Amino acid sequence: MARTALVVGSSGIVGSAAADVLAAAGWHVLGLARQPSARPGVTPVAADLQKPAALATALAGLAPDAVFIATWSRQATEAENIRVNAAMVRNLLDALRPAGSVRHVALVTGLKHYLGPFEAYGQGMLPQTPFREDQGRLDVENFYYAQEDEVFAAAARDGFGWSVHRPHTIIGKAVGNAMNMGTTLAVHASLCRETGRPFRFPGSAVQWKGLTDMTDAHLLARHMLWATATPAARNQAFNVVNGDVFRWEWMWGRIAQWFGLQPAAFDGTVLPLETQMAGDAGLWRDLAARHGLAEPDLSRLASPWHTDADLGRPIEVVTDMGKSRRLGFTDYQPTDDAFFALFEALRADRLIP
């Protein structure tokens, strides 16, 4: 079994969880990020995937057996997302080629494989839910497809195996992350408790009443490790979710209860978090000062735009895990427990009061 892993995006929600899981499993972990943070059992590698020459220098002399790609760069348009994010994957795999050591590459994408990119999110003709891996690509430009194609081309050329992992909305801890529903909701709830503002669901009636699922970052990390070590999972794409389903009308109350709040009544009107939190930067700085919090910059904790995109969808989204189950991946994570574990970790790290 391969024992040296390069985790790309090691400071993010998925990458930090993957680094922890791999280190705990006895791997030598190299954690690549532009500004890698110190983590037990992880050797930091500072590099920018958009700078190929410097990237090659940073990776020279390293010989990972497995590569876990858990990063992307948000751009203004999908065309730019495709150009930049495909190049990042290509630059990475080109820089690793001289060592000839890579045996497996695991790429994290997501359900936008089925829902479409941000510019056409949840629009047009979509596959039936539950989403299944044998449902083909949508007839739209999508940077996830471009990332996959870079991995497939490099694998065909260099002879390594690959796996693609498609989580739903991820629950996990990272500061400065662009897609971070769990921390966004924790910050929103903390502000509501502090100010007496109603803790009101921001999304659509479909999301409030419909079934949905989510993905815990550590479960996703275990899924990537499983695919890397399982011959039957070689060269396969997989959905990966916690294994339970819920309705937000139940989950919203569970989250409210954890923060000692009464959830506000929901009348079916969409009131986005971007609107609800528009003037909260100063409130958060004051709250952080009063409670001695570690991060006074609200923008590094909350990503209301991303939470609104998920909670405002006009369609029910659930995800099939049958493919992984048939091949032996049986991990399960209750989603409310994943939220609560995140909230405890945020409080322990003085990121919320």
Side-chain angles (χ1 to χ4, degrees), residues 20-321:
D20 291 345
V21 165
L22 288 159
W27 288 60
H28 174 218
V29 181
L30 308 168
L32 187 152
R34 283 178 297 178
Q35 295 180 315
S37 55
R39 303 189 72 82
V42 179
T43 301
V45 179
D48 186 337
L49 299 186
Q50 296 186 52
K51 298 178 179 179
L55 175 64
T57 298
L59 294 176
L62 302 180
D65 303 285
V67 180
F68 300 82
I69 305 175
T71 189
W72 72 292
S73 178
R74 186 188 181 198
Q75 304 298 312
T77 66
E78 192 60 19
E80 278 299 289
N81 276 332
I82 290 168
R83 184 186 67 81
V84 170
N85 288 283
M88 288 165 60
V89 174
R90 184 169 60 252
N91 293 341
L92 171 71
L93 299 179
D94 283 350
L96 290 169
R97 184 174 307 118
S101 62
V102 176
R103 294 163 53 189
H104 189 92
V105 172
L107 171 69
V108 179
T109 62
L111 292 197
K112 286 189 288 297
H113 182 92
Y114 309 106
L115 286 161
F118 290 120
E119 291 180 359
Y121 190 60
Q123 301 173 19
M125 294 295 294
L126 300 176
Q128 285 186 326
T129 57
F131 292 139
R132 292 180 171 87
E133 294 91 342
D134 60 3
Q135 295 165 324
R137 292 180 175 183
L138 302 175
D139 188 21
V140 294
E141 295 296 304
N142 190 324
F143 84 87
Y144 282 172
Y145 306 160
Q147 287 182 308
E148 286 183 344
D149 288 344
E150 293 293 341
V151 171
F152 300 160
R157 181 185 58 234
D158 299 336
F160 57 76
W162 54 265
S163 56
V164 175
H165 305 261
R166 300 171 184 159
H168 199 166
T169 305
I170 298 169
I171 302 170
K173 182 168 70 70
V175 175
N177 192 271
M179 300 195 298
N180 196 340
M181 180 189 285
T183 303
T184 299
L185 293 180
V187 167
H188 176 53
S190 299
L191 284 164
C192 288
R193 187 178 60 193
E194 189 82 4
T195 64
R197 189 168 67 196
F199 185 59
R200 186 193 183 283
F201 182 71
S204 68
V206 171
Q207 294 304 307
W208 182 252
K209 289 286 188 182
L211 290 172
T212 194
D213 48 31
M214 294 184 74
T215 306
D216 178 76
H218 283 85
L219 181 137
L220 171 55
R222 295 192 295 273
H223 191 262
M224 289 191 286
L225 177 55
W226 164 80
T228 300
T230 302
R234 182 184 172 94
N235 298 348
Q236 299 285 333
F238 297 98
N239 298 330
V240 50
V241 288
N242 288 338
D244 63 349
V245 293
F246 64 91
R247 303 180 200 276
W248 276 104
E249 64 178 337
W250 174 79
M251 186 66 77
W252 199 253
R254 295 282 286 159
I255 293 172
Q257 184 180 35
W258 196 93
F259 285 94
L261 295 168
Q262 272 296 121
F266 178 64
D267 64 3
T269 304
V270 176
L271 183 60
L273 279 181
E274 279 204 298
T275 300
Q276 294 190 50
M277 302 180 72
D280 284 350
L283 291 174
W284 186 257
R285 279 195 302 272
D286 293 344
L287 183 151
R290 285 196 302 275
H291 293 277
L293 300 184
E295 181 52 74
D297 184 350
L298 181 64
S299 68
R300 287 182 49 75
L301 296 174
S303 52
W305 68 273
H306 174 254
T307 301
D308 287 337
D310 278 4
L311 298 186
R313 287 185 302 223
I315 57 172
E316 181 177 87
V317 175
V318 287
T319 314
D320 184 77
M321 275 284 286

